Amino acid sequence: PITPEDYSWNYQADLSAKMLQKQFGFELTEAENLFDGTKAEPVATDWASKGYNVIIGQGIQYQDMFNKIAPQFPKTVFVCVDCFGGKGNVYNVWWYMADAAYLMGMLAGNMTKTNKIGLIGGGRAESIWAGHEAFKRGVRQVNKQATFLESWMAFSWADVAGAKKAGEQMADQGVDFIFSSGDGIDVGVRQVAKEKNIQCTDVYADAAHLDPDHIAQSIVVRWDIAYLTAIADYVRGDYNNKWLQADLFSGMVSLGAFGNAVPQATQTWLLSQQTALRMGVSLPFTLDPSCFDNADQPQCKV
């Protein structure tokens, strides 16, 4: 959707594809700044027409476009990341943010001193919404006094400036920890955290080393595992109607390095919580999918 310079969603996708290219030697072509399916369709159609075996769309915004063109190219597998509605040779990789976001919430609930916590998102896709809701429940698990300010960007995941402005407004209202959910949103929030001397988290890439005094933790996603699984299925000829889930249990998701502000005892405790979820312990809540469209229902309140 944008470029690898975000050190987030796009960076991790680029890194994962190039890791596999180095290992297996296949031809790799990348296109950037294709924000939506309309922009991406001529590129994907051109590649498929030229006989590309695997085409990866890094985002749910490509799902409808892939479903439209995939039947024309049955010998190509279209890998749709953060998608669940792909059909036939559109290969679904569902991004399940909730379990790792829940851990981030427990971290934030432990670290906040003002009991005011912010959440900033890009596009309000169902997977990202679930991550935000799970984060809030993680906070509540350890800190009943915390309150939330939440903002979604009008210009979606590429809105660095909007995320920074929203973060500044939150910090001015006393927020001292901000959870952001990827891409350019992470970039803007990292800038705010440094300038306002507050804590934040990142998603997708292991980012704490970028600013260890202000980035408390990252959710790291191994897209290379998903890509390799899809490629292997393609080689076997077994790629129709497939679905993967990227989460802690699958090993595709993990906690990254901790920032300097996270006490050692908190680090040890949070890693033990990660181990429990990986061993199959269930989250202590259920997210009602109907809350995505109707958050005013009683069961949707945090």
Side-chain angles (χ1 to χ4, degrees):
I2 54 176
T3 72
E5 282 71 31
D6 65 349
Y7 213 91
S8 180
W9 176 268
N10 297 269
Y11 170 88
Q12 199 71 355
D14 173 72
L15 176 68
S16 297
K18 287 177 177 173
M19 284 171 55
L20 294 177
Q21 181 196 29
K22 183 177 180 180
Q23 184 175 357
F24 295 106
F26 53 74
E27 178 183 343
L28 175 66
T29 306
E30 291 186 356
E32 300 174 353
N33 289 313
L34 302 178
F35 305 112
D36 54 40
T38 300
K39 291 180 179 293
E41 182 173 344
V43 177
T45 302
D46 178 61
W47 287 347
S49 298
K50 291 176 178 176
Y52 279 61
N53 307 116
V54 178
I55 297 174
I56 301 168
Q58 190 67 22
I60 195 171
Q61 60 265 57
Y62 306 126
Q63 180 175 277
D64 290 343
M65 179 270 293
F66 274 175
N67 281 333
K68 173 184 175 184
I69 68 172
Q72 304 169 45
F73 305 100
K75 294 184 179 181
T76 297
V77 58
F78 296 83
V79 181
C80 194
V81 179
D82 197 20
C83 301
F84 56 87
K87 304 171 185 176
N89 54 320
V90 177
Y91 195 110
N92 296 283
V93 179
W94 177 243
W95 160 225
Y96 183 73
M97 183 190 269
D99 50 8
Y102 174 73
L103 297 177
M104 295 293 94
M106 290 198 290
L107 176 64
N110 269 301
M111 291 186 67
T112 182
K113 295 179 175 61
T114 65
N115 286 330
K116 294 182 179 181
I117 295 173
L119 301 93
I120 300 179
R124 196 174 174 274
E126 188 167 345
S127 61
I128 307 301
W129 164 82
H132 280 227
E133 294 303 303
F135 174 86
K136 295 174 191 174
R137 285 158 175 78
V139 171
R140 283 278 190 261
Q141 186 73 12
V142 299
N143 187 336
K144 305 297 185 185
Q145 285 72 47
T147 59
F148 303 105
L149 293 177
E150 186 171 21
S151 183
W152 298 89
M153 294 303 96
F155 298 105
S156 198
W157 290 285
D159 196 355
V160 176
K164 183 179 180 184
K165 182 177 180 181
E168 289 170 342
Q169 292 172 343
M170 289 178 180
D172 290 343
Q173 295 178 65
V175 164
D176 64 352
F177 198 114
I178 299 178
F179 171 82
S180 60
S181 49
D183 301 63
I185 307 306
D186 282 355
V187 177
V189 168
R190 288 197 297 259
Q191 293 172 358
V192 171
K194 186 171 185 177
E195 293 172 8
K196 297 289 189 177
N197 194 29
I198 61 175
Q199 294 293 304
C200 70
T201 59
D202 260 29
V203 184
Y204 308 118
D206 197 356
H209 68 280
L210 298 177
D211 184 1
D213 291 331
H214 302 102
I215 301 175
Q217 178 63 279
S218 304
I219 298 171
V220 182
V221 186
R222 290 278 307 274
W223 296 124
D224 58 300
I225 297 176
Y227 298 166
L228 181 58
T229 303
I231 292 169
D233 285 343
Y234 175 83
V235 171
R236 287 192 293 264
D238 182 25
Y239 55 84
N240 280 306
N241 303 310
K242 285 299 189 74
W243 186 85
L244 297 176
Q245 179 162 296
D247 57 15
L248 287 172
F249 187 74
S250 72
M252 295 185 207
V253 178
S254 64
L255 299 181
F258 290 95
N260 294 339
V262 184
Q264 183 61 50
T266 301
Q267 295 182 29
T268 302
W269 170 76
L270 199 67
L271 290 174
S272 73
Q273 298 297 310
Q274 173 182 246
T275 299
L277 290 175
R278 280 190 161 163
M279 294 296 289
V281 173
S282 298
L283 291 171
F285 59 87
T286 300
L287 292 175
D288 185 338
S290 70
C291 297
F292 178 62
D293 294 316
N294 186 5
D296 293 329
Q297 301 175 84
Q299 72 270 26
C300 305
K301 303 301 180 184
V302 180

